[in-house]
Amino acid sequence: MRFFIDTARIEEIREAAGYGFLDGVTTNPSLMAREKVRDTDGHIREICALTSGPVSAEVIATDCDGMVKEGRRLAALAPNVAVKLPLTMPGLAACRILSAEGTAVNATLVFSPVQALLAAKSGAAYVSPFVGRLDETGTDGMRMVEEVLSIFRNYGFTTEVIVASVRHPRHVLRAALAGAHICTIPFAVIRQLAAHPLTDRGLETFLADWKKNSG
Ligand code: G3P
C-alpha cells in the first residue's frame, strides 16, 4: 500500500519524505487555507518538487468548463500533479475530458461505492472515499472502501483507491487488510503509526541495562 500525506504544510511533507515512505501528497482547499496559502500555483509547485509521487491539487470551480480550465492550469504546473475534482455530475463530465487528455484525475468527496464506480467509468485515475467523515454519520467508512475494491476487481478497473479522511491508525490497518492501493494520512496519524508503549518501555530497559553494565 502506498502512503500519501494529507497536508499542504511544506515542513510536514519534507519531514515525511525524510523517512522514506512518502509516495505522494493530497491537498484540498481547506488544507491550503489552513496554511494561509496565497500563491496556490507556487505552493503546488513547491510540493511537487519534494516528491516524485502524485500531488493532488483541487479545483475551486464547480461547473464543468471552469473545472476543465482550472484542471488544465493545475496539470501544467508540474508533471506529477493529479487534478482533484468533486464527485458531482459536472465533476464527472470534467473528469472524462481531462482524463482523455492524459491528466490524472482524483475524484474526491466520494461517500458511496456507486459514486466510485461512476468516477472509474469517467476515467478517473484515483477515487478518494472519505472514511472518517462517513464514520461520523454512523456508517462504516471502511466497509465502503471494501465494496469499492470489490467492484473495481469485478470489472477490472485500473482506477486506484485512495483511502481518505483518515482519523486513526485503525483506518490505515483496515485499508491495508482490504488491499487499498493508497492511504492518504495526516501527519499526526503517521506519528501514531510508529508509536507503541512497549517499544518505548523496551528501549528504556535496554538503555538502563546498558548503563548499569558499563557504569
Ligand atoms: O484530503 C481529503 C480528505 O482526506 C479530507 O479529510 O479530515 O477533512 O475529513 P478530512
Side-chain angles (χ1 to χ4, degrees):
M1 184 169 73
R2 270 134 62 215
F3 275 27
F4 288 5
I5 186 167
D6 198 24
T7 187
R9 188 166 297 171
I10 299 291
E11 301 73 40
E12 290 184 348
I13 297 165
R14 196 171 282 130
E15 186 177 338
Y19 297 121
F21 46 64
L22 182 68
D23 299 310
V25 178
T26 50
T27 68
N28 63 37
S30 303
L31 293 171
M32 297 290 266
R34 200 176 296 167
E35 301 313 309
K36 302 191 179 357
V37 173
R38 290 276 168 260
D39 171 16
T40 307
D41 291 6
H43 200 79
I44 294 293
R45 271 201 212 94
E46 197 177 346
I47 294 175
C48 286
L50 292 172
T51 173
S52 55
V55 173
S56 288
E58 190 160 342
V59 299
I60 303 299
T62 54
D63 63 301
C64 175
D65 286 352
M67 282 192 250
V68 169
K69 209 170 141 205
E70 214 182 321
R72 285 177 182 148
R73 198 199 77 232
L74 292 169
L77 294 176
N80 52 333
V81 165
V83 174
K84 231 178 180 186
L85 300 175
L87 198 297
T88 57
M89 295 299 274
L92 290 168
C95 176
R96 187 189 67 78
I97 294 167
L98 290 170
S99 301
E101 292 174 359
T103 295
V105 170
N106 176 0
T108 190
L109 291 166
V110 169
F111 292 95
S112 84
V114 181
Q115 283 184 312
L117 174 58
L118 291 176
K121 288 185 72 69
S122 295
Y126 309 101
V127 292
S128 293
F130 275 30
V131 297
R133 293 194 199 183
L134 203 55
D135 284 353
E136 283 152 17
T137 69
T139 307
D140 182 7
M142 285 311 305
R143 180 72 200 130
M144 165 182 58
V145 169
E146 289 158 8
E147 289 177 353
V148 172
L149 289 165
S150 298
I151 292 170
F152 285 5
R153 268 194 299 269
N154 286 347
Y155 298 103
F157 284 111
T158 54
T159 305
E160 295 192 302
V161 175
I162 304 179
V163 176
S165 186
V166 162
R167 296 277 188 270
H168 46 70
R170 197 158 170 81
H171 279 146
V172 182
L173 171 66
R174 282 188 68 189
L177 289 172
H181 307 87
I182 301 154
C183 197
T184 189
I185 315 170
F187 196 76
V189 177
I190 292 181
R191 273 216 185 88
Q192 283 179 292
L193 292 176
H196 197 288
L198 290 179
T199 305
D200 294 343
R201 206 186 307 161
L203 184 58
E204 271 169 35
T205 309
F206 285 156
L207 295 178
D209 289 346
W210 178 257
K211 212 170 159 191
K212 262 186 256 158
N213 188 43
S214 52

